[in-house]
Amino acid sequence: MHPTGQPEARLFDTWIDPIETGVRERVRDWIEALIEAELEAALGRPRYGRAAGDEPAVGTRGYRHGRRSRTLTGTFCPTEIAVPRARLPTQNGGTTEWRSAALRAYQRRTQAADALIASAYLSGTNTRRVRRALAALFGGAVGKDTVSRVWRKVQADWQAWNQRSLADEPIVRLILDGTVVRVRLDNKATSISLLVVIGIREDGQKILLSVKNMGGETTAAWRAVLDDLVARQLRRPAFVIVDGAPGLEQALAAVWEGVPLQRCTVHKLRNLLAHAPKRLYDEITADYTDMIYAATAEEIEERRKAFVKKWRLRHAAVADSLEEAGEALFAFTKLPPSQWKSARTTNAIERLHEEFKRRIKTQTVLPSDATAAMLFWALLASGQITMRKVDGWKTLPQASASQETIDLAA
């Protein structure tokens, strides 16, 4: 037994790959040769190059003046390199320091290394675990502060995404919902709502249109999200799916009056069960499922009347809850039957919320409200989470054209 209780070498420390070792030993020479070639092109002559014979060096482009040492971390491990320095003439007769385009000023990591660090963070771990997971690759040179700085580089892309125009997006359907996350505000763990909007294109592909951090799902909060979409020229959708939050429905009515609205049938079932004793859950669920998943609109309407009649006598609160949703619960029946599966519920966005929660589970509390929204977007933008086309997408343009005809007639 060792005095400290720890083995002399940790697992994987002795896993030495001669290929990796050979490549990393030659990385320094390759990087220095790349930068040297770049400098020679800028100066117009190789190192130690002089004018031929006694001819004066007319039109010289500058001169070298030493080297500086720099440590560069990449997927090839930290490497100490010697970076050549040079002065180039300016138009006003002075000189300026030459800057390499391949190796940016003050660069300490390659972009591939930064992308690897950010991807590891997005895969569902915290900053300290990223450091430990990548220690073997980067030689222990990546600390939690480095992970945080790399992650902040994503902010420029995040801001550009938030300001992009939506005029050319052929959106025909929207799915809107909010999710609650824990963030740190004023050094305290606080719950905030992320309001998320997914758009469905004419080709059936789902895309993320907006994600905003708000204090709750109020009418004012949702109105701010919708106004931002309209300001970025999102066209009026032909169909909207919501979870039944009153604030969201009021905001939609104010922005797009008369837009066809579908209440999520899964959320409504939960509401029905909340109004009944547990002993009736199975019977209510069976009746509700038979109604919602009937084959035709006529059968759905027939079973709807039977449901209300039966539960008006058995448990009136259940019937009242169903009638509260009105026609919005059955708006999907106005669409082609091939689209019913994707139009009945907000499942597409609910699955997105669940995956997001799974990825941030290790962090418990996110560092800020801005980070929460940016992280949600980055998971999709980086391809860590992908969304497939909706069921029945081939009939989406047909349904959209039909809706536009109805609107024009009105």
Side-chain angles (χ1 to χ4, degrees), residues 86-322:
R87 303 289 297 183
L88 301 179
T90 60
Q91 294 181 352
N92 58 8
T95 61
T96 183
E97 184 76 14
W98 171 77
R99 300 292 185 186
S100 170
L103 184 65
R104 304 185 308 277
Y106 308 110
Q107 181 180 358
R108 294 295 180 267
R109 293 179 306 277
T110 65
Q111 292 188 3
D114 283 350
L116 181 60
I117 294 170
S119 297
Y121 178 69
L122 288 174
S123 66
T125 186
N126 55 35
T127 54
R128 290 179 175 83
R129 291 183 180 180
V130 170
R131 176 191 59 188
R132 293 195 294 266
L134 300 180
L137 180 62
F138 294 123
V142 178
K144 65 181 185 66
D145 293 335
T146 301
V147 178
S148 298
R149 285 194 297 270
V150 169
W151 169 240
R152 284 196 291 271
K153 290 183 179 181
V154 180
Q155 190 167 7
D157 293 329
W158 158 247
Q159 292 173 347
W161 181 82
N162 273 313
Q163 297 170 4
R164 78 199 189 287
S165 173
L166 300 175
D168 297 329
E169 286 288 359
I171 301 299
V172 296
R173 186 187 298 177
L174 294 181
I175 309 176
L176 304 95
D177 193 17
T179 186
V180 177
V181 295
R182 300 275 287 174
V183 301
R184 194 170 300 282
L185 295 177
D186 298 327
N187 295 323
K188 294 182 179 179
T190 306
S191 295
I192 65 168
S193 292
L194 290 182
L195 305 188
V196 184
V197 182
I198 290 180
I200 299 176
R201 294 174 174 152
E202 290 180 347
D203 63 356
Q205 181 60 52
K206 297 190 289 285
I207 64 167
L208 182 66
L209 294 178
S210 178
V211 52
K212 301 286 185 183
N213 53 289
M214 296 292 182
E217 295 191 55
T218 63
T219 301
W222 275 114
R223 180 65 187 270
V225 173
L226 296 177
D227 285 344
D228 175 68
L229 293 175
V230 172
R232 290 191 282 135
Q233 302 178 28
L234 177 70
R235 70 186 190 184
R236 178 189 174 95
F239 198 77
V240 178
I241 308 172
V242 298
D243 62 356
L248 173 54
E249 293 187 10
Q250 293 171 14
L252 284 168
V255 176
W256 293 308
E257 184 179 2
V259 66
L261 195 68
Q262 170 65 44
R263 289 273 296 271
C264 176
T265 57
V266 173
H267 282 79
K268 174 47 66 177
L269 175 58
R270 295 171 187 166
N271 292 341
L272 296 180
L273 298 179
H275 287 84
K278 193 171 183 179
R279 58 185 173 80
L280 298 177
Y281 280 9
D282 290 342
E283 189 175 356
I284 293 173
T285 301
D287 290 347
Y288 183 83
T289 302
D290 288 343
M291 172 183 62
I292 293 297
Y293 293 96
T296 65
E298 292 75 16
E299 290 182 14
I300 290 176
E301 180 59 26
E302 181 181 345
R303 296 179 186 183
R304 173 188 181 182
K305 293 178 180 178
F307 185 98
V308 172
K309 183 178 180 180
K310 172 183 176 179
W311 289 102
R312 180 71 63 193
L313 298 174
R314 293 285 308 277
H315 200 82
V318 174
D320 292 340
S321 180
L322 182 73

Side-chain angles (χ1 to χ4, degrees), residues 341-356:
K341 181 179 180 180
S342 62
R344 274 190 291 246
T345 69
T346 57
N347 282 355
I349 203 167
E350 293 289 347
R351 285 194 294 268
L352 195 58
H353 292 334
E354 291 175 3
E355 183 64 16
F356 174 64

